[in-house]
Amino acid sequence: MLPAGPARVSHPFGATRYYRHGWHSWSLAHWADLSGPPHVAAILQPGAQGDAAANLAGNVHGGSWVGAVEGPEGNALVLGALGIDARVTGDERELRGRSAGDPSPWFVGYGNAEDTLEAYARELGRRLGSVARDPGRVWCSWYSHYTGVTEAIVDETLAGIDGLAFDVVQIDDGWQVEIGDWQVNDDFPSGMAAVAGRIAAAGYRPGLWLAPFVAHERSQMYAEHPGWFLPGAAGENWGGPYYGFDMTHPEARDHVATLIRTAVDWGYTYLKLDFLFAAALGGEQPYRSGIELIREVAGDEVYLLACGSPIVPSIGVFNGMRVGPDVAPWWEDDANTRLVRDYSYPSTRSAVSTSHARLWLRSAIAVDPDVAYFRTRYNLLAPGYRRLLQDLCLVAGFRATSDPPGWLLPEERAELAAFLTAPGEVERLDRYRFRVDGRVVDFGPASLDHPAPG
Ligand code: 9PG
């Protein structure tokens, strides 16, 4: 431990690799070469949608809460904040940490890189009161139906997944009138409570996606209560800017509490809460008090999955967290990665790489590497990449898919069935290689670490 306040730790490793850890779920985490330039975005989105602005600008290797430099033989020197609002930078001589005001001490450790990061996560879990929990096997509507999800699709899915070992059926973005106006739209004519009832009657935990801390510029919410929001757009999505709530504002807090209470009263006991970083643009402390309010209203039994969420401040409130960007039915997205240099956009390679680089968080929170694909319909992913993503889900211990049962060929359905019931026995062989139910799986070739391993 190092005492609270600015921290400096010298290291003897020179121009080694630096572990860069992005601010929220979709932000890049990887081992970068200190002798090369740090990852910077060519275009900074409003509110830096993909990461904290400080992590995307300037010519320093740095990231949020934790950083590390690599020593010999797979060892690393790790400097990690035990508070919720810190940043770490590194160069060829030292690691430096700075917190915006949290009076917590720092974790410092040297040893096997993954083991040391896990020790840091355990300490975070102890201090922030980890509520890590296995969500069970999840069917999620997003990665096939996107905003086209309807009540009829949910019914078809319930009929089609009969006999598959799912525990949760989660409706994603598309059920609501508008981002910020969380009333049911015409695609769910029976209403959200009735749909939750049918999911539960079929034997699954009903799950629902909400973005409780944001409202779109088009929403009635934003038009009627502009004073409840932080100044400036939090980002652009859904065809325009969206804004984040000021969680120090009492009426904004009441609104968020009512929203969560409504979803729980409808019968949803698994909530995927998304675009959470928008409320943290006003600081990590208001964010933390906002999510604590959500937990208080939801109660301890409701599974809370964080998405688009600042990583460390979400530990102790959320049971699970997305730890990488969105997967997609393609491997790489050259326009966004090579040209814009933004690895937070949907792409299976970016998702596998960043989620793999954050597996150490498992000791503090369940890690969601996003869904696996089994379908070949409307899918450009080569079989090997489909398999790699499935294996990452097994390694992470979070198994989900968005494949519509009606799109699956018989052999694809059999692969999904086997995935859902696999023992999932995992042994780490080194940073990139794992033994998963007796097979050796190598994430090295997919990794965005530099230089490319192997
Ligand atoms: C619903 C989706 C799904 C998905 C979430 C989130 O603009 N962006 O950078 C951006 C990143 C991720 C994203 C949407 C936009 O997806 O991760 O699982 O729930 O929202 O809209």
Side-chain angles (χ1 to χ4, degrees):
M1 297 290 172
L2 278 182
R8 294 173 73 144
V9 184
S10 304
H11 72 81
F13 308 124
T16 181
R17 292 202 293 177
Y18 175 78
Y19 179 70
R20 176 217 201 262
H21 183 263
W23 187 47
H24 70 75
S25 303
W26 309 324
S27 321
L28 178 68
H30 74 155
W31 288 91
D33 225 332
L34 272 177
S35 59
H39 165 66
V40 289
I43 300 169
L44 269 187
Q45 298 227 37
Q49 182 155 292
D51 205 335
N55 293 341
L56 292 172
N59 205 28
V60 279
H61 285 273
S64 299
W65 304 289
V66 58
V69 282
E70 211 164 39
E73 290 160 20
N75 288 333
L77 175 69
V78 176
L79 175 63
L82 295 169
I84 64 174
D85 62 3
R87 183 173 147 74
V88 172
T89 57
D91 61 24
E92 298 173 9
R93 286 175 305 279
E94 62 182 15
L95 289 169
R96 278 180 296 278
R98 210 165 250 292
S99 130
D102 190 303
S104 303
W106 295 85
F107 169 99
V108 187
Y110 181 73
N112 171 273
E114 283 67 44
D115 291 345
T116 309
L117 285 165
E118 278 176 22
Y120 167 54
R122 272 195 302 278
E123 189 57 36
L124 279 174
R126 261 196 295 278
R127 287 175 175 260
L128 295 172
S130 171
V131 287
R133 180 146 59 104
D134 179 355
R137 320 288 190 246
V138 181
W139 188 88
C140 155
S141 64
W142 182 250
Y143 297 90
S144 296
H145 299 295
Y146 297 101
T147 53
V149 64
T150 64
E151 179 176 342
I153 286 173
V154 174
D155 286 335
E156 263 169 52
T157 304
L158 291 175
I161 64 174
D162 193 35
L164 293 172
F166 284 106
D167 302 294
V168 179
V169 170
Q170 181 244 315
I171 301 167
D172 214 282
D173 187 359
W175 62 270
Q176 74 286 351
V177 168
E178 184 55 88
I179 303 297
D181 300 332
W182 303 99
Q183 298 87 36
V184 65
N185 66 32
D186 296 342
D187 293 327
F188 288 78
S190 310
M192 296 314 284
V195 175
R198 294 213 292 278
I199 295 172
Y204 309 101
R205 193 187 251 271
L208 191 64
W209 175 94
L210 289 159
F213 289 157
V214 299
H216 201 270
E217 185 186 55
R218 287 187 303 260
S219 66
Q220 212 179 325
M221 171 57 61
Y222 185 68
E224 288 176 4
H225 305 289
W228 296 2
F229 294 87
L230 295 166
E236 287 209 19
N237 200 33
W238 306 283
Y242 59 89
Y243 295 81
F245 281 113
D246 174 357
M247 289 313 291
T248 66
H249 195 294
E251 286 171 286
R253 295 178 68 82
D254 286 347
H255 159 73
V256 168
T258 303
L259 172 59
I260 298 299
R261 198 170 295 121
T262 302
V264 173
D265 286 348
W266 282 340
Y268 294 91
T269 58
Y270 174 103
L271 299 180
K272 173 179 172 185
L273 304 181
D274 204 354
F275 289 85
L276 295 174
F277 73 89
L281 295 170
E284 272 87 359
Q285 293 296 349
Y287 171 77
R288 181 79 180 181
S289 78
I291 62 173
E292 282 171 349
L293 172 67
I294 288 176
R295 173 55 81 187
E296 196 184 305
V297 172
D300 290 343
E301 290 312 305
V302 170
Y303 194 95
L304 293 180
L305 178 68
C307 188
S309 47
I311 305 293
V312 167
S314 304
I315 293 169
V317 172
F318 285 92
N319 306 105
M321 173 165 51
R322 262 282 289 291
V323 294
D326 290 20
V327 296
W330 56 79
W331 181 238
E332 295 201 78
D333 176 343
D334 289 348
N336 283 317
T337 55
R338 290 177 214 281
L339 295 177
V340 183
R341 292 200 299 276
D342 188 337
Y343 295 89
S344 66
Y345 284 92
S347 117
T348 297
R349 183 179 187 180
S350 302
V352 166
S353 182
T354 285
S355 295
H356 164 264
R358 286 215 184 104
L359 286 171
W360 57 271
L361 279 160
R362 268 175 309 180
S363 350
I365 193 161
V367 302
D368 169 13
D370 214 358
V371 305
Y373 292 92
F374 300 84
R375 60 176 165 93
T376 49
R377 187 165 172 183
Y378 307 131
N379 194 344
L380 300 172
L381 279 173
Y385 290 140
R386 250 187 293 134
R387 185 81 226 200
L388 194 68
L389 177 57
Q390 294 163 13
D391 285 331
L392 181 62
C393 295
L394 292 177
V395 169
F398 198 114
R399 303 183 203 184
T401 189
S402 287
D403 288 0
W407 292 12
L408 295 172
L409 302 172
E411 61 270 27
E412 293 165 6
R413 186 180 172 99
E415 278 170 34
L416 169 59
F419 167 82
L420 295 174
T421 54
E425 271 163 32
V426 176
E427 182 195 347
R428 193 178 73 216
L429 302 175
D430 57 36
R431 179 171 302 156
Y432 301 102
R433 293 179 320 128
F434 294 78
R435 199 185 311 278
V436 184
D437 292 336
R439 293 172 298 111
V440 174
V441 177
D442 186 357
F443 298 104
S447 174
L448 293 164
D449 291 351
H450 301 292

